[in-house]
């Protein structure tokens, strides 16, 4: 295929001419056919390993599996390649270029209706009245449904009116059992002819597929097969389409193979449904293109729906260049592009982050007299949102309203998500009221977005209200709803509530995913229940759900968090945790229970260490690649070890995952001076990551160094982080903000900062009236005001004799008059207190060398 050249005047003119001048189009079609045939060459045979991956129809060796390349469509192996000997039979006929009406895949693009039946005949008025009456009958009342349908027997024209009734139920009803009962009740009413019953069967399968019940569609299909009227191309194609709507690609492909086994020849509609199923089911794009090739080999002509489905598959796979190739091929072949084509192409572009190109497509739509609709604008708004360009997204939203466009629920959900991300809660209320006024009901996506937003703000009262409102309105929670709630309650320290949410989920019958399991494992781990978390990890594996790196990181980070606290510690209570595990209600003793003996603690730590080491083995066996968060979790676990030997065991696992990171951490921990150049290389790599990830690693590394007595090493790491601006707005000459720092990093920072203030004092520079150190007062602690960092810094200041006091009206700030601090710093013994040294020193420079480093610090 030639390189993609979008929206050229010649292409636009050719496409327009083909659609407005049929005779000329026919002549052009011959030329297009010749050109296309010349370009449709057979691809080279694939190796045996690749052939093993082919779809069933390619396994027999009739054609080669599409080669693995990127982009998939480029070169001689483009998907429209066919065998040379089949070129004549697959020549593109008039149907290929005719602008046919296409039923859109997207429900949002399928608006309007009327009384025109899909078959082209207008339905009777009685059919509409029959639908209205059936909708008023309870779906479980089989007798009443049969009586209601029979009451229209004299008015309904068989079988078309009965088919219309089923299609309308598919469009308007949410009760699939009602549609299935109507199908069974209508069978004796349409007569004994297999053709009429076959039409009714196809309509029933289509309706049930629309309702998202391919299982019931399959049941109806099997009824038709058993009754002798289901072995039709239409019934098979309808069942494939039903599976496609639910993204069940394997089932759809299986039906196609059984259709061929029954001696039926698939049509263009059949292949369109299979291609659609592959796209929605996340099947490898090469396999999807394999069905397209098979379609050409069978002598079938692709239509607009075919290319739209291919375009949708490219979009879902995130293959922008392949989507552009499909789009250009439609132009080349003179196939008219409808609103669905453009919307799918815009979606593919936005998923790849090329919003500028997406806006160019919007301009091209308007130039081609294809009017952008609510789907177009919603996709663009979402594209801007993913790039965090919220102002541009909201400008499009305002443009939609100024154009008088009728907004739908998806558009409102997209806008609500933006307001949630930007914290504009006043606008959220306005949008919700607007949806209410327009009669647009909130769906699960709406509630999930609101619950997540208010949960992050700590507004648990509103979260509780939203959950109750969902139940009151009959909106079924999704797996994401449960995952979000577990995460919110767990982060708020409300672990009992998190357990109860998991109990509700177990009763819902929904299939869990890795996100939900990870959230619940996080709850268990944060309560020190590492054994339970590991058991749940085993359950995941047995259910075929592969744990991801987040799951492992959560359990690793939990190691050592259970500890014996002082009797007066305000964060600890005696109440155990009540929850559910493996379908059974459990009560776990509080892992930080008071009065536990030192021997018990050591035994528990040893047991936890064994579990964590076992976890590393599973991580390696399952091929889960660690990330920086994994390394941070390991270092955090090391800092909670009671002895260096246990920490060394954990660090050894780090060697298995990343030898370079291990070398830096181990070298610093052992006090090797020569490791510093490698450490700076690691810090440079961290600088390319987001601030929260990099700061977490700096905190973890500093903590483990501080914990095992490598105080100067910890201080060097902290100062490196300050120079690289890892912690935003942390250091200023006369105010130190420790909000974002861990306990070890904060203590090392206090020493460095006071040394810097000392150099200012001896330089004779002027200082403000007060100096201050900020720690935060514990707003986000389990118990408000119980800030661990504040306690640690207060103890440090007291131990070194620094003259700082808690501010009267802000317990998260320590202050001191600068004159008092200056006098203390001038005392002869202060310098020895502030200078730090390592316990494991090997050819280490004198600690006094730190003073010039501090004086030269560029801040």
């Amino acid at each position: 295929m030639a390189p993609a050249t979008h929206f050229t005047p010649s292409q636009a003119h050719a496409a327009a001419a083909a659609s407005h001048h049929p005779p000329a189009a026919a002549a052009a079609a011959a030329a297009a056919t010749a050109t296309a045939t010349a370009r449709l060459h057979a691809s080279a045979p694939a190796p045996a390993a690749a052939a093993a991956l082919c779809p069933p129809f390619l396994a027999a060796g009739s054609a080669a599996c599409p080669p693995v390349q990127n982009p998939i469509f480029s070169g001689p192996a483009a998907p429209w390649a066919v065998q040379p000997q089949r070129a004549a039979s697959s020549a593109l006929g008039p149907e290929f270029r005719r602008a046919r009406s296409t039923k859109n895949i997207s429900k949002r693009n399928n608006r309007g209706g009327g009384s025109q039946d899909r078959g082209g005949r207008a339905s009777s008025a009685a059919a509409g009245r029959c639908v209205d009456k059936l909708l008023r009958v309870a779906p479980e009342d089989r007798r009443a449904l049969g009586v209601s349908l029979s009451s229209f027997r004299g008015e309904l024209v068989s079988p078309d009116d009965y088919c219309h009734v089923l299609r309308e139920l598919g469009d308007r009803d949410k009760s699939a059992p009602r549609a299935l009962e109507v199908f069974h009740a209508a069978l004796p009413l349409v007569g004994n002819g297999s053709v009429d019953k076959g039409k009714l069967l196809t309509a029933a399968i289509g309706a049930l597929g629309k309702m998202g019940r391919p299982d019931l569609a399959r049941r109806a299909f099997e009824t038709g097969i058993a009754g002798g009227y289901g072995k039709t191309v239409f019934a098979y194609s309808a069942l494939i389409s039903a599976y496609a709507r639910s993204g069940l690609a394997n089932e759809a492909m299986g039906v196609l193979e059984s259709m061929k086994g029954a001696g039926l020849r698939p049509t263009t509609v059949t292949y369109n449904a299979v291609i659609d199923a592959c796209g929605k089911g996340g099947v490898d794009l090469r396999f999807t293109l394999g069905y397209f090739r098979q379609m050409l080999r069978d002598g079938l002509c692709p239509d607009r729906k075919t290319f739209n489905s291919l375009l949708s598959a490219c979009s879902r796979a995130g293959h922008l260049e392949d989507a552009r190739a499909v789009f250009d091929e439609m132009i080349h072949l003179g196939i008219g592009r409808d609103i669905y084509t453009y919307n799918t192409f815009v979606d593919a572009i936005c998923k790849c982050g090329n919003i500028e190109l997406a806006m160019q497509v919007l301009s091209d739509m308007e130039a081609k007299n294809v009017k952008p609709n609510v789907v177009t604008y919603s996709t663009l708004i979402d594209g801007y949102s993913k790039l965090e360009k919220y102002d541009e997204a909201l400008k499009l939203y305002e443009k939609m309203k100024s154009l008088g466009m009728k907004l739908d629920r998806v558009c409102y959900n997209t806008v609500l998500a933006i307001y949630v991300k930007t914290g504009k809660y006043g606008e959220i209320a306005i949008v919700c009221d607007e949806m209410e006024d327009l009669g647009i009901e909130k769906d699960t996506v709406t509630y999930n977005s609101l619950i997540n937003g208010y949960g992050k703000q700590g507004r648990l009262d509103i979260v509780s209200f939203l959950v109750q409102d969902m139940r009151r309105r009959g909106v079924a929670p999704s797996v994401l709803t449960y995952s979000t709630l577990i995460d919110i309650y767990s982060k708020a320290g409300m672990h009992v509530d998190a357990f109860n949410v998991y109990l509700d989920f177990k009763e819902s019958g929904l299939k869990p995913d890795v996100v939900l399991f990870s959230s619940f494992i996080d709850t268990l781990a944060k309560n020190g229940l590492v054994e339970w978390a590991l058991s749940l990890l085993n359950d995941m594996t047995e259910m075929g759900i592969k744990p991801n790196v987040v799951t492992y990181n959560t359990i690793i980070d939990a190691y050592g968090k259970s500890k014996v606290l002082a009797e007066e510690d305000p964060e600890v209570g005696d109440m155990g945790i009540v929850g559910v595990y493996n379908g059974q209600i459990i009560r776990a003793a509080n892992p930080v229970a008071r009065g536990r003996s030192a021997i018990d603690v050591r035994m528990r730590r040893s047991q936890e260490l064994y579990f964590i080491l076992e976890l590393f083995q599973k991580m390696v066996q399952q091929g889960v690649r660690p990330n920086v968060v994994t390394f941070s979790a390991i270092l955090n676990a090391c800092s909670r070890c009671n002895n260096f030997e246990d920490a060394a065991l954990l660090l050894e696992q780090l060697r298995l995952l990343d030898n370079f990171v291990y070398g830096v951490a181990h070298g610093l921990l052992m006090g090797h001076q020569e490791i510093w150049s490698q450490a700076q290389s690691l810090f440079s790599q961290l600088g390319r990551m987001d601030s929260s990830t990099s700061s977490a690693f700096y905190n973890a590394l500093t903590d483990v160094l501080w914990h095992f007595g490598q105080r100067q090493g910890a201080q060097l790491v902290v100062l490196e982080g300050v120079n690289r601006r890892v912690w935003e707005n942390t250091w200023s000459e006369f105010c130190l903000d420790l909000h974002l720092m861990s306990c070890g990093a904060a203590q090392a920072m206090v020493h460095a900062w006071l040394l810097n203030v000392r150099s200012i004092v001896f330089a004779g520079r002027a200082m403000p009236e007060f100096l201050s150190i900020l720690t935060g007062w514990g707003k986000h602690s389990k118990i408000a005001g119980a800030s661990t960092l504040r306690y640690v810094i207060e103890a440090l200041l007291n131990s070194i004799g620094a003259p700082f006091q808690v501010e009267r009206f802000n317990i998260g700030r320590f202050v001191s008059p600068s004159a008092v601090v200056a006098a203390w710093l001038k005392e002869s013994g202060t310098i020895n207190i502030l200078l730090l040294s390592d316990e494991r020193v090997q050819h280490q420079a004198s600690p006094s060398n730190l003073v010039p480093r501090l004086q030269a610090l560029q801040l």
Side-chain angles (χ1 to χ4, degrees):
M1 183 182 296
T5 52
H6 292 285
F7 320 127
T8 60
S10 59
Q11 289 172 322
H13 179 74
S19 60
H20 288 91
H21 304 286
T33 301
T35 304
T37 304
R39 298 188 311 153
L40 304 184
H41 300 297
S43 55
L53 298 174
C54 290
F57 56 78
L58 294 179
S62 61
C65 200
V68 181
Q69 55 185 26
N70 188 23
I72 292 171
F73 288 178
S74 64
W80 12 87
V82 298
Q83 299 290 348
Q85 65 269 24
R86 297 296 301 274
S89 63
S90 63
L92 306 180
E95 183 185 19
F96 203 88
R97 64 183 179 277
R98 189 166 69 222
R100 309 189 330 164
S101 61
T102 306
K103 187 176 79 171
N104 296 318
I105 301 172
S106 171
K107 293 181 180 179
R108 298 180 64 211
N109 286 288
N110 189 15
R111 294 290 185 257
S115 60
Q116 185 74 16
D117 191 80
R118 272 63 162 186
R121 188 190 67 79
S123 59
S124 66
R129 296 197 308 273
C130 180
V131 172
D132 293 336
K133 186 172 182 178
L134 289 171
L135 289 174
R136 292 193 293 269
V137 178
E140 64 277 2
D141 193 342
R142 300 175 59 180
R143 182 177 177 280
L145 287 170
V147 170
S148 298
L149 190 64
S150 299
S151 66
F152 286 89
R153 185 169 187 173
E155 302 179 64
L156 298 180
V157 181
S158 300
D160 299 293
D161 275 350
Y162 289 103
C163 292
H164 175 80
V165 168
L166 284 169
R167 293 189 183 105
E168 283 297 300
L169 289 176
D171 288 336
R172 296 168 55 184
D173 195 12
K174 295 181 180 179
S175 174
R178 188 201 321 264
L180 186 62
E181 289 302 328
V182 169
F183 163 66
H184 287 297
L187 278 174
L189 303 178
V190 297
N192 295 321
S194 60
V195 173
D196 289 347
K197 287 186 175 182
K199 288 182 179 180
L200 188 70
L201 173 64
T202 302
I205 294 172
L208 293 167
K210 279 185 177 181
M211 294 175 175
R213 292 299 303 271
D215 54 330
L216 296 184
R218 180 83 191 200
R219 190 187 303 176
F221 173 78
E222 290 171 350
T223 299
I225 293 293
Y229 54 86
K231 189 180 175 181
T232 67
V233 171
F234 305 105
Y236 275 99
S237 299
L239 183 58
I240 292 172
S241 181
Y243 281 126
R245 287 179 181 275
S246 297
L248 300 174
N250 290 333
E251 289 80 353
M253 292 187 286
V255 174
L256 176 65
E257 295 309 309
S258 64
M259 177 181 180
K260 292 178 181 178
L264 298 174
R265 185 173 183 268
T267 64
T268 298
V269 174
T270 312
Y271 277 113
N272 286 350
V274 173
I275 292 171
D276 186 34
C278 290
K280 289 178 178 176
V283 173
D284 191 304
L285 189 56
R286 294 172 298 151
F287 294 172
T288 307
L289 300 179
Y291 285 107
F292 180 75
R293 288 191 178 93
Q294 183 66 23
M295 180 181 181
L296 296 177
R297 279 193 289 271
D298 287 351
L300 298 172
C301 293
D303 58 10
R304 183 191 301 163
K305 173 69 178 292
T306 314
F307 281 98
N308 282 349
S309 296
L310 280 175
L311 198 58
S312 179
C314 294
S315 173
R316 286 187 170 88
H319 288 228
L320 176 57
E321 289 307 312
D322 293 329
R324 293 177 69 158
V326 172
F327 193 84
D328 283 342
E329 193 69 10
M330 293 182 74
I331 297 173
H332 178 83
L333 297 174
I335 296 177
R337 290 149 291 155
D338 58 11
I339 184 63
Y340 179 78
T341 311
Y342 276 105
N343 286 345
T344 308
F345 189 38
V346 168
D347 182 59
I349 296 169
C350 288
K351 282 180 178 175
C352 295
N354 195 341
I355 196 68
E356 291 78 14
L357 178 59
M359 294 302 293
Q360 291 178 23
V361 176
L362 179 66
S363 301
D364 184 72
M365 291 176 66
E366 296 165 344
K368 299 293 190 301
N369 294 320
V370 179
K371 187 177 180 181
N373 62 8
V374 64
V375 183
T376 318
Y377 281 103
S378 297
T379 305
L380 290 168
I381 290 172
D382 187 56
Y384 274 120
S385 175
K386 284 183 169 64
L387 296 174
E388 298 184 358
K389 296 183 177 181
Y390 302 122
D391 291 338
E392 290 86 346
L394 293 174
K395 284 177 184 176
L396 281 179
Y397 172 58
E398 294 300 328
K399 181 180 179 180
M400 292 177 71
K401 294 199 291 187
S402 67
L403 292 173
M405 298 184 71
K406 185 178 179 181
L407 308 186
D408 64 3
R409 181 164 49 211
V410 176
C411 181
Y412 278 119
N413 285 345
T414 305
V415 173
L416 277 174
I418 292 175
Y419 286 142
V420 166
K421 291 174 184 175
T422 54
K424 297 182 178 179
Y425 293 95
E427 284 79 358
I428 290 175
I430 294 173
V431 171
C432 288
D433 290 341
E434 192 174 320
M435 291 176 69
E436 196 81 27
D437 294 340
L438 294 173
I440 300 175
E441 297 181 355
K442 301 183 186 72
D443 63 359
T444 306
V445 176
T446 317
Y447 281 105
N448 287 349
S449 181
L450 294 173
I451 289 171
N452 183 47
Y454 283 109
K456 286 181 177 178
Q457 291 293 316
R459 295 299 307 273
L460 301 182
D461 53 336
I462 299 180
V463 169
S464 178
F465 168 79
L466 289 169
V467 172
Q468 296 299 325
D469 194 48
M470 284 185 76
R471 291 173 177 167
R472 182 173 60 84
R473 295 174 182 265
V475 178
S478 65
V479 176
L480 180 59
T481 314
Y482 289 106
S483 302
T484 304
L485 287 170
I486 290 173
D487 184 60
I488 288 170
Y489 289 135
S490 179
K491 287 180 178 176
M494 302 169 62
H495 301 295
V496 174
D497 296 87
F499 269 71
N500 288 333
V501 170
Y502 185 74
L503 177 60
D504 289 342
F505 168 77
K506 294 284 287 186
E507 295 175 349
S508 71
L510 293 170
K511 183 180 179 181
D513 60 7
V514 65
V515 178
L516 183 131
F517 268 118
S518 296
S519 297
F520 190 55
I521 285 174
D522 184 54
T523 296
L524 293 169
K526 284 180 177 175
N527 279 275
L529 301 174
V530 180
E531 304 96 318
W532 292 100
L534 283 170
S535 297
L536 199 60
L537 188 67
N538 292 331
D539 287 354
M540 283 181 71
T541 307
E542 290 174 3
M543 293 176 65
I545 301 173
K546 184 179 179 181
N548 59 21
V549 68
V550 177
T551 318
Y552 285 105
N553 290 347
T554 298
I555 303 178
I556 294 169
D557 192 52
Y559 171 72
K561 284 190 174 179
S562 56
K563 54 188 176 182
V564 175
L565 300 178
E567 188 71 26
E568 64 273 9
D569 194 301
E571 293 197 38
V572 180
D574 292 321
M575 187 179 68
I577 298 173
V578 179
V580 63
Y581 169 72
N582 203 19
Q584 297 180 345
I585 297 177
I586 61 170
R587 179 179 296 274
N590 195 314
V592 289
R594 308 174 195 274
R596 179 176 292 169
S597 70
I599 296 176
D600 290 340
V601 173
R602 285 197 299 270
M603 289 180 62
R604 180 177 180 84
R605 289 291 174 83
S606 298
Q607 190 179 32
E608 284 187 358
L609 181 60
Y610 171 79
F611 288 139
I612 296 300
L613 295 176
E614 182 184 0
L615 185 70
F616 281 118
Q617 298 300 320
K618 292 182 179 180
M619 193 173 182
V620 173
Q621 290 170 3
Q622 294 183 356
V624 178
R625 295 187 61 183
N627 57 18
V628 176
V629 181
T630 315
F631 304 148
S632 300
I634 293 173
L635 292 173
N636 281 327
C638 289
S639 66
R640 289 189 287 271
C641 289
N642 290 327
N643 55 70
F644 188 77
E645 289 70 24
D646 287 353
L649 277 174
L650 288 175
L651 274 181
E652 192 63 29
Q653 308 310 308
L654 184 56
R655 183 207 290 267
L656 299 175
L657 302 176
D658 192 299
N659 195 50
F660 176 65
V661 178
Y662 165 80
V664 171
H666 185 266
L668 290 174
L669 199 53
M670 298 304 296
H672 296 309
Q673 180 71 17
E674 61 274 13
I675 202 68
W676 188 249
S677 61
Q678 296 181 40
Q680 288 183 315
S681 175
L682 174 60
F683 297 149
S684 296
Q685 295 180 37
L686 288 170
R688 294 190 288 269
M689 301 179 183
D690 62 275
S691 59
S692 61
T693 301
S694 59
S695 63
F697 184 85
Y698 274 91
N699 282 334
L701 180 58
T702 310
D703 272 357
V704 72
L705 292 173
W706 187 271
H707 180 67
F708 287 107
Q710 298 302 95
R711 303 298 170 86
Q712 188 181 2
Q715 195 168 69
L716 290 174
V717 173
V718 164
L719 292 176
E720 190 71 23
V722 172
N723 269 329
R724 295 175 183 269
R725 300 188 182 278
V726 172
W727 299 282
E728 190 175 353
N729 301 323
T730 295
W731 180 298
S732 68
E733 288 186 328
F734 306 112
C735 179
L736 183 62
D737 189 343
L738 304 174
H739 273 93
L740 303 177
M741 305 190 78
S742 62
C743 292
Q747 292 178 86
M749 181 69 86
V750 168
H751 279 262
W753 182 73
L754 289 173
L755 282 171
N756 189 63
V757 174
R758 182 179 183 278
S759 67
I760 294 173
V761 170
F762 279 93
R765 291 172 51 192
M767 293 194 298
E769 184 179 358
F770 288 94
L771 302 181
S772 60
I773 300 173
L774 304 176
T775 63
W777 60 276
K779 176 182 179 181
H780 301 292
S781 298
K782 295 179 185 179
I783 306 297
S787 168
T788 302
L789 180 61
R790 178 169 66 86
Y791 293 144
V792 168
I793 296 303
E794 185 174 25
L796 173 68
L797 293 173
N798 290 334
S799 68
I800 63 177
F804 285 84
Q805 303 294 329
V806 176
E807 191 176 53
R808 182 178 179 185
F809 297 108
N810 184 356
I811 63 174
R813 180 194 295 267
F814 296 90
V815 296
S816 179
S818 57
V820 176
V821 175
W824 174 68
L825 291 171
K826 289 178 181 179
E827 294 177 5
S828 60
T830 303
I831 183 65
N832 296 324
I833 296 174
L834 296 180
L835 287 175
L836 298 172
S837 60
D838 290 341
E839 292 181 0
R840 294 180 180 84
V841 179
Q842 297 187 12
H843 310 293
Q844 188 81 6
S846 170
S848 60
N849 291 339
L850 185 61
V851 176
R853 178 188 291 271
L854 289 167
Q855 292 172 341
L857 195 61
Q858 298 298 317
L859 299 172

